[in-house]
Amino acid sequence: MSKEKVMEVCSAAIQPAGIILLVTGAGGVFKQVLVDSGVGPALGNALIGAGLPIAVACFVLSAAVRVIQGSATVACLTTVGLVMPVIGELGYSGAQMAALSVCIAGGSIVLSHVNDSGFWLFGKFTGATEAQTLKTWSVMETILGTTGAVVG
């Protein structure tokens, strides 16, 4: 195989991953901006102080971080970092902490859109347009995350 053909094959294989890496990296940077600027803790304290049940507050906070920056992983880690000081003082059992973890995880996958690497991964590898991905992937993720949080 010629050098040009190898480069062509490699470029075609790497191209779909490029946007995914870019979006994921940008999400991680944005998470750190939220934490360093104080916006993240302020949002966490506002939701916790709003009188919502702690499970609902965890779900909503995780969903808000997810929608803002795109990564489910970053949304989970950010939410846990923001609510642990409050949750730690409540003395919850292991089962209660597990239920809160499910609520955080459920919130972290709702409303997937163009700033989510999973959105692009699904769209690129299935050949779906952005509109089709919003109508399928995004709706499926929202149903899955909400159902998980309700059951948890």
Side-chain angles (χ1 to χ4, degrees):
M1 195 179 299
S2 71
K3 185 167 104 175
E4 290 77 23
K5 183 65 176 172
V6 170
M7 289 301 293
E8 180 184 326
V9 170
C10 289
S11 294
I14 293 174
Q15 186 178 12
I19 188 72
I20 294 163
L21 293 173
L22 179 66
V23 171
T24 303
V29 169
F30 189 65
K31 183 275 296 185
Q32 199 59 47
V33 169
L34 284 175
V35 171
D36 290 347
S37 69
V39 171
L43 180 61
N45 291 333
L47 276 172
I48 299 295
L52 293 172
I54 193 73
V56 173
C58 286
F59 177 84
V60 170
L61 180 58
S62 184
V65 173
R66 158 58 172 228
V67 170
I68 292 167
Q69 59 76 38
S71 168
T73 304
V74 173
C76 283
L77 294 174
T78 302
T79 302
V80 167
L82 297 176
V83 301
M84 270 314 289
V86 175
I87 294 172
E89 296 176 11
L90 298 175
Y92 283 161
S93 70
Q96 289 169 316
M97 294 294 277
L100 290 179
S101 298
V102 172
C103 290
I104 291 170
S108 77
I109 63 170
V110 302
L111 303 171
S112 173
H113 61 93
V114 297
N115 68 351
D116 173 24
S117 57
F119 176 91
W120 292 106
L121 184 68
F122 175 83
K124 292 291 182 190
F125 287 114
T126 62
T129 66
E130 285 80 8
Q132 291 169 327
T133 305
L134 282 168
K135 291 176 184 175
T136 56
W137 175 259
S138 300
V139 171
M140 182 273 306
E141 287 271 278
T142 301
I143 292 169
L144 183 63
T146 305
T147 301
V150 168
V151 170

